[in-house]
Amino acid sequence: MNIGNDDIREILVEIPEGHRHIRTKIILRDTTELVFQEAAIANITRAYITVKTHPQKKAVNLKARHLTDKKEGYDAWQLLEE
């Protein structure tokens, strides 16, 4: 699926009531709704900025990994650069 600006009807970025983290909802013209948790958008943003600004990197590949030894307060599932 390739999503362009003309495919998007609305984007809502908010901290839902009762939550502490940002959610990003993308509503497509065909009414499909994609909801991303804060960590997912943060990882996408970090990868985007790296590719956009790094003098040599042309790609960043993030893979889902389940960590058994993780930092306190972090989810066991992380998107890590390969």
Side-chain angles (χ1 to χ4, degrees):
M1 178 184 295
N2 186 14
I3 299 171
N5 278 343
D6 58 338
D7 298 313
I8 298 171
R9 183 172 50 169
E10 182 179 354
I11 298 175
L12 174 63
V13 179
E14 67 173 346
I15 300 173
E17 190 172 329
H19 291 268
R20 295 183 1 212
H21 301 288
I22 294 172
R23 297 287 192 277
T24 300
K25 181 191 292 187
I26 300 173
I27 304 168
L28 302 180
R29 291 205 179 275
D30 69 1
T31 70
T32 299
E33 293 186 8
L34 307 169
V35 180
F36 296 89
Q37 293 182 350
E38 182 173 344
I41 293 296
N43 281 301
I44 292 167
T45 302
R46 181 171 46 87
Y48 177 90
I49 290 170
T50 297
V51 171
K52 190 73 174 172
T53 62
H54 194 280
Q56 295 177 330
K57 279 193 179 186
K58 300 297 180 200
V60 171
N61 188 23
L62 302 175
K63 293 259 182 151
R65 298 281 184 251
H66 186 264
L67 305 177
T68 54
D69 184 27
K70 64 180 185 69
K71 293 180 183 177
E72 187 177 329
Y74 285 79
D75 192 22
W77 281 100
Q78 295 291 324
L79 293 172
L80 302 177
E81 188 173 343
E82 290 247 311

